[in-house]
Amino acid sequence: MAAPRKIALFRLPSLPTIGEVIKLYKLRAEKQLSQNVLLDMRLTDKILCQAGSLRDAHVCEVGPGPGGLTHSILNAGAADLLVVEKDNRFIHGLNLLSEAAPRKLRVVHGDILTSRMDRGFPKVITKAWEDDLPDLHIIGNLPFSVPTPLIIKWLENISNRIGHFVYGRTRLTLTFQKEVAERLTASTASRQRSRLSIMAQYLCAVKSFFTIPGRAFIPKLEVGPHALLYSAHTHTHTHRASWLCIQVDDDNAPFVEHTHL
Ligand SMILES: C[S@@+](CC[C@H](N)C(=O)[O-])C[C@H]1O[C@@H](n2cnc3c(N)ncnc32)[C@H](O)[C@@H]1O
């Protein structure tokens, strides 16, 4: 008879309040790191729903900040979460979170643009490109200051099957500014159609999911610079990456469910 599955029980420390986050991390002073954070667990859980089941999955979170999305990923049952955060001020809090979830959360103080991810996860999870998707996800409420270089880097990595993509067709679930998301998802008839649309859609199945209002962020995003969340899986012509978009819209926008390929 199969042994009953062990369920690891852990109690995560509660998230800091909005006031604490702003005070502790002086968020308004750090515009260059694009620190517009999400602390509403209903929203972070909703984002994760787009990624599919994370139970026992390996996950790389980009820019965890104070750890809102990180909490949701751990609560979703991820077995192994590697977070890469550039800002030193968040590392202590993330380490506390790591102590509360032993052997589940690995904290890397570094830059996602230069971090090597091809050795970040066990080789055993690797799947052939044409095979099923590996149980590995890239997830993040992306720093809005770095999306284009990061997307280009990931697209190159998908094309060369390196970095996160040595493991196979790794799925991505990420946020983007509205303009970037529109370019990623733009159809041939669209005014937003660009080189980025062609490259992304050649290598990936790009999908937009839902809109997040700017007021959900702390500090809230101003009307105008919209933002967008998206996610991806992988492909060649028959097996490609898919990018699932969740849009962050202006302050007055209601939550809107929409999907376009
Ligand atoms: C938009 S905030 C999101 C924070 C958190 N994920 C959330 O949803 O509340 C972006 C985060 O990415 C971090 N960051 C910015 N550039 C980065 C980089 N190149 N590599 C890793 N983290 C970065 C910032 O310090 C910040 O914590």
Side-chain angles (χ1 to χ4, degrees):
M1 198 172 78
R5 268 180 67 182
K6 251 194 182 167
I7 298 175
L9 292 174
F10 49 85
R11 185 181 286 275
L12 300 176
S14 55
L15 283 170
T17 64
I18 294 167
E20 283 166 350
V21 167
I22 290 176
K23 202 168 150 198
L24 277 172
Y25 304 118
K26 299 185 177 66
L27 288 175
R28 285 174 203 285
E30 294 298 333
K31 285 214 162 152
Q32 73 276 21
L33 288 177
S34 310
Q35 288 166 333
N36 299 86
V37 305
L38 290 171
L39 293 177
D40 182 340
M41 295 285 288
R42 288 166 307 175
L43 194 51
T44 51
D45 288 348
K46 184 174 175 182
I47 292 164
L48 289 189
C49 279
Q50 311 307 323
S53 172
L54 294 182
R55 180 143 306 278
D56 298 330
H58 297 264
V59 179
C60 174
E61 187 190 354
V62 183
L69 202 48
T70 318
H71 268 74
S72 286
I73 296 169
L74 290 169
N75 284 336
D80 171 33
L81 170 57
L82 173 68
V83 298
V84 182
E85 172 57 58
K86 193 173 178 179
D87 189 335
N88 187 39
R89 294 169 307 158
F90 291 119
I91 301 300
H92 177 65
L94 292 167
N95 282 335
L96 289 179
L97 203 53
S98 172
E99 282 167 24
R103 292 180 300 281
K104 284 182 179 290
L105 173 58
R106 295 178 285 148
V107 179
V108 172
H109 179 208
D111 187 330
I112 190 65
L113 287 167
T114 52
S115 298
R116 280 196 63 178
M117 285 297 147
D118 49 354
R119 292 192 203 132
F121 296 92
K123 280 217 160 36
V124 67
I125 66 170
T126 305
K127 293 278 170 92
W129 202 257
E130 302 71 22
D131 207 342
D132 296 336
L133 304 175
D135 205 1
L136 172 61
H137 296 253
I138 302 173
I139 294 178
N141 169 25
L142 278 188
F144 299 139
S145 54
V146 295
T148 309
L150 199 51
I151 300 167
I152 300 286
K153 182 181 167 177
W154 276 330
L155 290 175
E156 275 175 10
N157 288 357
I158 288 170
S159 176
N160 296 318
R161 301 180 189 181
I162 59 173
H164 286 99
F165 305 94
V166 291
Y167 305 99
R169 294 179 290 128
T170 300
R171 285 159 282 187
L172 296 98
T173 306
L174 300 160
T175 66
F176 281 106
Q177 286 178 312
K178 188 185 179 201
E179 309 84 73
V180 179
E182 282 178 352
R183 281 161 60 208
L184 282 168
T185 55
S187 63
T188 45
S190 165
R191 275 195 304 154
Q192 274 84 17
R193 185 82 172 167
S194 66
R195 268 185 295 185
L196 191 64
S197 332
I198 295 164
M199 283 165 62
Q201 291 170 30
Y202 174 70
L203 289 164
C204 309
V206 185
K207 214 169 176 186
S208 170
F209 271 119
F210 65 87
T211 305
I212 300 176
R215 67 176 181 275
F217 289 83
I218 303 157
K220 72 176 183 182
L221 288 168
E222 288 153 23
V223 177
H226 304 259
L228 191 131
L229 279 172
Y230 88 128
S231 119
H233 319 168
T234 341
H235 95 130
T236 56
H237 284 292
T238 45
H239 298 95
R240 57 179 176 162
S242 58
W243 305 59
L244 317 173
C245 300
I246 303 159
Q247 184 166 342
V248 181
D249 211 336
D250 69 43
D251 220 22
N252 302 312
F255 282 69
V256 179
E257 297 279 356
H258 66 275
T259 302
H260 49 92
L261 210 58

